[in-house]
Amino acid sequence: MENTVQSVDRRIRVKPRAVPEPPATVTVVVPCYNYANFLPQAVHSCLAQEEVEVDVIIVDDASTDSSLSVAKGLAATNPNVSVLSHERNKGMVATFNDGAKIATGEFLVRLDADDLLTPGSLARATQLAGAYPSVGLVYGHPIHFSTESLPEARSQASAWTIWPGQDWLRDRCRSAQNVITSPEALMRRSVVERIGYQAPLRHTPDMELWFRISAFADVAYIHGADQAWHRDHPNSMSAKEVDGCLDLGERYEVFETLFGGLAGQIPGAEELLRDARTALVNEALYTAGLELDRGLPDPALFAAYRAFAKDVDPEIEGSALWETLSRRINNPAPAAGANVLPLLRRVRGRIRTNRNWRKWHRNGVF
């Protein structure tokens, strides 16, 4: 599938600039399941956006609380709000897709009913997308919060970075990590219609869609401003406990789905998939090593990490990394203080994690 707009030929970082065009149109799809208490705040954060024309589609996924009546009340008082309701619960993928398929805006945003857009978010994102027609995905920094009041958000964009989409995707494959939460992302609807909507993945449909967009369109990041508030609370999807091995499996499914579909047609797709598998295998074995450092508190989890690595890459069993881990199984972590190597490994891991977090906070990638 060819990109019909000329892509940037390299990563560039530029100062934001105004684009003298009519206000962009944005459709915000708000999937909702039992979030009646949060829904009005989410919708109002969309309707308060300035310098853009916004319409909101609330998709109620057969909520058992008062979400549907709240949604209908919001639609009754604002002509830019419409409601689509499911008679039975279809899950988060179908809920977003059903709304996205009837969107009319030039741009598309998915905003979960417990999240909010920051003031000026859509104007900043559409300004960038208007300046670079090859960009299919724009994102920025999200604020995670769990307090009653909203944290202060930065509103001044200091720079834009634009990547050739496949360069951005290559980096994501090499780390096998996602860098986008969700509410801070804006998509060009024509690109989504061309490549398809969310795939039926349990926990990672957003991640796969971001990566699929990047296979066929450029990606951009807004520096300096906060683009959304992401609410952390016990009932949110992001708060659900997912053990490390399950998370690896979910990300593995992202790349298999991605390159088993349209993205498998792009140049170098096999190498990108191989890079992602290698990153996941290395992460699994590294994490298994940390379990050994901790004295193997959960032997089943340790075995699961090793089994995952072997399933993804059967040839890993003869590698130096595998052999090193095998030797350590017969020589578990010594008593506290007897050996500093486990401590050093944990310290190095924390340093790497903190470094990646700082890079992501500044630049949207690591």
Side-chain angles (χ1 to χ4, degrees), residues 7-323:
S7 172
V8 295
D9 59 4
R10 57 184 174 82
R11 179 178 64 87
I12 58 174
R13 179 165 173 153
V14 298
K15 286 288 186 182
R17 65 177 188 269
V19 180
E21 292 184 352
T25 58
V26 183
T27 296
V28 182
V29 177
V30 182
C32 182
Y33 178 70
N34 288 351
Y35 278 159
N37 54 331
F38 296 135
L39 183 59
Q41 198 175 20
V43 171
H44 290 146
S45 78
C46 301
L47 299 177
Q49 296 291 311
E50 298 180 347
E51 301 179 44
V52 289
E53 295 181 3
V54 181
D55 71 284
V56 179
I57 301 174
I58 304 169
V59 188
D60 182 74
D61 194 25
S63 294
T64 58
D65 67 356
S66 60
S67 291
L68 182 55
S69 62
V70 170
K72 289 180 177 178
L74 291 166
T77 57
N78 196 300
N80 292 337
V81 178
S82 59
V83 179
L84 179 65
S85 61
H86 291 162
E87 292 186 0
R88 59 178 179 82
N89 186 272
K90 294 184 178 181
M92 63 179 182
V93 171
T95 301
F96 169 72
N97 286 349
D98 286 350
K101 289 173 183 177
I102 60 173
T104 58
E106 180 183 1
F107 299 100
L108 180 64
V109 170
R110 173 195 165 131
L111 182 72
D112 287 337
D114 53 343
D115 293 335
L116 303 91
L117 298 178
T118 56
S121 172
L122 298 184
R124 288 187 293 270
T126 57
Q127 185 181 58
L128 191 165
Y132 292 89
S134 64
V135 167
L137 174 66
V138 181
Y139 70 108
H141 184 263
I143 299 175
H144 289 249
F145 77 104
S146 57
T147 55
E148 287 293 326
S149 58
L150 293 173
E152 184 176 354
R154 300 170 298 167
S155 61
Q156 187 63 46
S158 59
W160 297 339
T161 293
I162 301 94
W163 292 266
Q166 292 177 21
D167 287 0
W168 185 87
L169 177 59
R170 184 177 301 108
D171 289 341
R172 305 289 73 72
C173 291
R174 288 172 177 171
S175 70
Q177 297 281 352
N178 191 15
V179 293
I180 302 176
T181 302
S182 181
E184 74 274 25
L186 174 137
M187 299 165 277
R188 194 178 297 273
R189 185 169 62 89
S190 60
V191 173
V192 176
E193 289 182 338
R194 188 157 52 94
I195 66 170
Y197 300 93
Q198 285 190 341
L201 297 171
R202 184 178 178 188
H203 292 292
T204 50
D206 288 342
M207 180 179 177
E208 193 276 336
L209 181 57
W210 309 146
F211 291 3
R212 188 163 15 112
I213 291 173
S214 72
F216 300 101
D218 292 340
V219 177
Y221 181 78
I222 298 169
H223 298 264
D226 298 310
Q227 288 295 96
W229 285 291
H230 176 74
R231 192 188 307 266
D232 295 320
H233 60 94
N235 294 323
S236 67
M237 284 296 297
S238 58
K240 304 297 183 186
E241 284 294 329
V242 178
D243 70 54
C245 199
L246 179 58
D247 176 63
L248 284 167
E250 294 287 349
R251 284 186 278 140
Y252 173 77
E253 288 298 322
V254 165
F255 293 105
E256 296 299 313
T257 300
L258 177 68
F259 292 111
L262 283 177
Q265 302 172 8
I266 67 174
E270 291 184 4
E271 180 182 355
L272 294 176
L273 178 56
R274 187 164 55 249
D275 286 346
R277 288 172 175 170
T278 298
L280 290 167
V281 166
N282 288 342
E283 183 179 341
L285 295 182
Y286 171 78
T287 310
L290 293 182
E291 289 294 306
L292 280 175
D293 289 343
R294 295 169 57 203
L296 213 58
D298 187 347
L301 183 58
F302 171 81
Y305 282 123
R306 294 235 304 172
F308 171 84
K310 188 176 178 181
D311 287 344
V312 174
D313 181 8
E315 296 182 3
I316 194 67
E317 195 169 9
S319 70
L321 188 59
W322 183 276
E323 292 301 325

